[in-house]
Amino acid sequence: MSFTNRMFGVEIEGFNVSRQTITNTLSTLVAANSISRGWIVKNDASIINVEHPFEINSPILYGESGLREIEVVCREINRLGARVNKTCGLHVHVDARDLPTA
């Protein structure tokens, strides 16, 4: 499996934009074929002392097209006024089943 076909997913944490606003924006992006279905917006209790904390979970993504989806989502939540602080994180999950151990 080459890197360009490797499966991965991300969790993007932030605040300052309501979950409903982000959900509506993601639905618009899906309808415009800018991103695939399966992006999920959740509350994130680990982000403290802020208004409207959120976590966006991607579906399983692949290669460069997946990287483009992340770019589109990040651009849109930035446009909506999303913010981060030291309690926010970006988590990347990479399919490593075919990589050697040890």
Side-chain angles (χ1 to χ4, degrees):
M1 177 182 287
S2 71
F3 171 76
T4 58
N5 293 323
R6 188 164 304 279
M7 295 184 295
F8 65 95
V10 297
E11 299 173 15
I12 304 167
E13 297 175 352
F15 63 92
N16 201 45
V17 182
S18 73
R19 288 173 37 211
Q20 189 59 55
T21 298
I22 296 170
T23 299
N24 292 345
T25 299
L26 294 176
S27 294
T28 300
L29 292 171
V30 168
N33 293 318
S34 298
I35 63 171
S36 56
R37 295 185 187 281
W39 289 82
I40 299 169
V41 184
K42 304 188 300 185
N43 187 40
D44 191 325
S46 70
I47 304 169
I48 57 174
N49 299 321
V50 297
E51 294 212 16
H52 305 297
F54 64 82
E55 176 178 298
I56 303 172
N57 296 332
S58 76
I60 295 173
L61 300 170
Y62 300 87
E64 290 186 31
S65 65
L67 293 174
R68 283 191 295 277
E69 286 197 41
I70 295 168
E71 183 178 12
V72 168
V73 170
C74 287
R75 185 180 310 120
E76 285 301 305
I77 62 174
N78 186 53
R79 184 185 63 77
L80 293 170
R83 299 288 178 253
V84 297
N85 65 20
K86 64 183 179 181
T87 65
C88 297
L90 171 70
H91 308 121
V92 180
H93 303 265
V94 179
D95 177 20
R97 290 178 285 184
D98 64 329
L99 299 178
T101 58

